[in-house]
Amino acid sequence: AQSVTQLGSHVSVSEGALVLLRCNYSSSVPPYLFWYVQYPNQGLQLLLKYTSAATLVKGINGFEAEFKKSETSFHLTKPSAHMSDAAEYFCAVRGSGTYKYIFGTGTRLKVLA
Amino acid sequence: EAGVTQFPSHSVIEKGQTVTLRCDPISGHDNLYWYRRVMGKEIKFLLHFVKESKQDESGMPNNRFLAERTGGTYSTLKVQPAELEDSGVYFCASSLSGGIETQYFGPGTRLLVL
């Protein structure tokens, strides 16, 4: 069965500091992996997705994630945090042959001035 | 292009009452999904429509939940009778068919059952 683990339900970083949000997955088939962001009172917005092409995936707003099969990880990074990055971030996996996403529990990012 | 819309944005009802949530997908999207997030937990899949047909309803918690998709357009999710544990945020998403199509999510409906 597929699963996603997001380490850290809350992460705080200073403005301008590196953002690192962790995601580990479990999948018996080659996975498709996604990072979504939810700003207050809005829906989930796709940041980026991995679909077995390049292992380093670049997304919107300066975010990127690297697929590491050996570590079963898909961590999200951004070199320099901005106040507007404060939101909740969700990692999700979708296995081959299925449409449904399996989500992690989410990580709420706080950016300190 | 309009995104996925959901109505109402919030609903507060008493245990035993009925609530109907509505989702309007992005025009042209054959795939429509319902998910739910109970407070503090992960977002969980409920079911998947392809046009008007239920493709996968493996995540529906019990027979108090009924989802329909009239004519392959908008969808409704009815909870009858509502229980306390049904409280949470209900998300709808839609996608095109084929390949690894991105699911586009609506803002969700926050349901509180008292």
Side-chain angles (χ1 to χ4, degrees), chain A residues 4-69:
Chain A
V4 173
T5 301
Q6 289 185 244
L7 286 176
S9 58
H10 292 81
V11 170
S12 294
V13 299
S14 298
E15 191 174 20
L18 171 73
V19 175
L20 170 61
L21 304 182
R22 299 178 186 275
C23 173
N24 288 86
Y25 70 90
S26 170
S27 178
S28 58
V29 296
Y32 302 121
L33 293 157
F34 307 82
W35 275 101
Y36 280 83
V37 60
Q38 185 181 24
Y39 299 104
N41 301 315
Q42 295 186 30
L44 279 71
Q45 178 182 1
L46 181 71
L47 276 176
L48 47 83
K49 64 182 179 183
Y50 167 76
T51 58
S52 75
T55 56
L56 183 62
V57 182
K58 294 188 183 298
I60 62 171
N61 301 338
F63 284 93
E64 63 182 36
E66 186 172 9
F67 172 70
K68 291 187 177 180
K69 184 177 179 180

Side-chain angles (χ1 to χ4, degrees), chain B residues 56-89:
Chain B
D56 180 356
E57 50 184 328
S58 61
M60 294 288 265
N62 52 61
N63 59 9
R64 295 186 293 103
F65 288 75
L66 175 64
E68 295 180 323
R69 189 177 184 194
T70 307
T73 56
Y74 71 91
S75 175
T76 57
L77 180 65
K78 181 191 288 187
V79 185
Q80 179 182 31
E83 298 289 344
L84 301 180
E85 63 264 25
D86 300 332
S87 296
V89 181

Side-chain angles (χ1 to χ4, degrees), chain B residues 5 9-10 66 78 83 86 91 103 113:
Chain B
T5 57
S9 59
H10 294 79
L66 175 64
K78 181 191 288 187
E83 298 289 344
D86 300 332
F91 292 101
Q103 293 185 18
V113 182

